[in-house]
Amino acid sequence: MFVAAMALSTVAALSLGATAQAELIPGGWLTMPRIPDPPPEAAAPAGCHSADPAAAAEGHAPGGTAAAGPPAFRREGAVLSAGASEAGIDRPLIDRAGIEAAERLIRPYIRRTPVIRVDAGDLDVSFEPGGAPLVLKLEFLQHTGSFKPRGAFASLLSRPAPPSGVVAASGGNHGAAVAYAAMRLGIRATIFVPQVTAPAKLDRIRGYGAELIVKGALYADALRASQDFAERNGALQVHAYDQPETLLGQGTVGSEIEADAAEIDTLLVAAGGGGLIGGIAAWYEGRIRLVAVEPEGAPTLHNALAAGHPVDAPAGGIAADSLAPARVGALMFPLAQRFVERAVLVEDAAIREAQRRLWSALRIAAEPGGAAAMAALISGRYQPAPGERIGVVLCGANTDAIDFSRAGG
């Protein structure tokens, strides 16, 4: 089931078109479950056709008429690699087959989180009267309080760890997930986090028995420290988002949503480094509209799409411990170019309001990053067309906002 270890610089399993060069990612070593080549007809997924951006935008504008049939938004650019090997070295494909393989691998260790359907009016969101309910994927009910264990288990189950164990850098949620997965699998884990990490996330990491090291002001500082640590003692690096296993594991969120809410036209997903929305994009392959949501203080994917390649971006705002890497992942970026319609930016105040409404209406205690996608609807930064059926991923709930030690009855 497993293939031999290979350099991470060889696993850029995405090609950027006939004339562009795939970006290679420096780093450690990894192994992956062997994923067979797709059949010839799968190399170009049906429906991934070009569309006129102006017409698409007009059809989606507030007050416009919803287009019949599936959404026509297709961002041209990257094309998934059709080959599984180069110079005799096996490479994982970040596609539906790979996600299905990852799902089988991690299923015994993760929860299948539910979706619920709620009246948009319950959250004071204005939709067309009599429209479809709002579909919420409750991924914060996953182990450790976020979606991250999917990618962590996909990595640790497919890559043998050395005696020095595994190391990860994280704003908090990925670190908790790696610590949890390592605990379940009997592997030593060392987690680097920045100073902005929320206390609730620090407590989770410590509670799972990992060695916790606070290093630097932001995620990028913790990442550099973790890479130095791996170089010194040979620990296996588990990247939060820019790693094939991570993307494949996170893509299982998409497979669950499609199975449980096949009716949605549009899915709003918070984006930081892009592991979650990249994996979901690889699953759907353009069959629904995907919209990334980011804080204005950390426009990582937004700026990358505007530039045409990953670029450094600011890393601020109230969701800085989960949605503020230095730049979006290079492996997911071609997926975003092709399958993500756009990235919308929301203010911190809108994220706070989304947290408040989720708690008031549904008793969901979402962390800022977990509420960001909902903030796009509440603030009007994303305005659905009449009849558009919307899904929202609520991806994290590691927050100190609720303190039962001070609560009454």
Side-chain angles (χ1 to χ4, degrees), residues 189-345:
T190 303
I191 309 298
F192 287 78
V193 299
Q195 296 164 4
V196 297
T197 300
K201 299 177 183 181
L202 298 177
D203 290 344
R204 277 199 179 275
I205 294 169
R206 292 191 186 99
Y208 297 135
E211 180 180 357
L212 177 65
I213 300 173
V214 179
K215 191 71 172 180
L218 298 171
Y219 168 76
D221 303 317
L223 177 60
R224 285 190 292 270
S226 73
Q227 292 168 338
D228 291 342
F229 178 89
E231 290 178 4
R232 291 195 307 272
N233 71 3
L236 181 70
Q237 297 182 65
V238 184
H239 201 284
Y241 52 87
D242 207 12
Q243 192 167 285
E245 299 92 344
T246 303
L247 285 158
L248 293 172
Q250 317 311 26
T252 62
V253 175
S255 67
E256 289 183 12
I257 294 172
E258 183 170 36
D260 296 339
E263 75 273 18
I264 64 172
D265 302 310
T266 301
L267 186 65
L268 306 183
V269 185
L276 178 59
I277 196 167
I280 292 174
W283 175 259
Y284 275 107
E285 295 180 332
R287 294 194 310 280
I288 65 171
R289 179 183 294 114
L290 285 180
V291 177
V293 183
E294 299 179 290
E296 286 189 338
T300 315
L301 181 56
H302 177 275
N303 287 7
L305 291 173
H309 57 88
V311 294
D312 287 345
I318 61 172
D321 66 344
S322 60
L323 301 181
R327 60 169 58 194
V328 75
L331 289 177
M332 69 76 59
F333 183 68
L335 292 161
Q337 282 187 305
R338 186 170 180 84
F339 299 128
V340 175
E341 185 223 293
R342 60 172 139 156
V344 301
L345 303 180

Side-chain angles (χ1 to χ4, degrees), residues 140-225:
F140 60 86
L141 295 177
Q142 190 56 256
H143 294 292
T144 79
S146 84
F147 66 94
K148 293 286 190 175
R150 297 172 184 269
F153 275 111
S155 185
L156 297 190
L157 289 169
S158 59
R159 305 166 65 205
S164 54
V166 298
V167 61
S170 170
N173 284 336
H174 174 64
V178 172
Y180 173 77
M183 179 188 70
R184 289 283 306 272
L185 300 174
I187 299 170
R188 177 181 178 182
T190 303
I191 309 298
F192 287 78
V193 299
Q195 296 164 4
V196 297
T197 300
K201 299 177 183 181
L202 298 177
D203 290 344
R204 277 199 179 275
I205 294 169
R206 292 191 186 99
Y208 297 135
E211 180 180 357
L212 177 65
I213 300 173
V214 179
K215 191 71 172 180
L218 298 171
Y219 168 76
D221 303 317
L223 177 60
R224 285 190 292 270

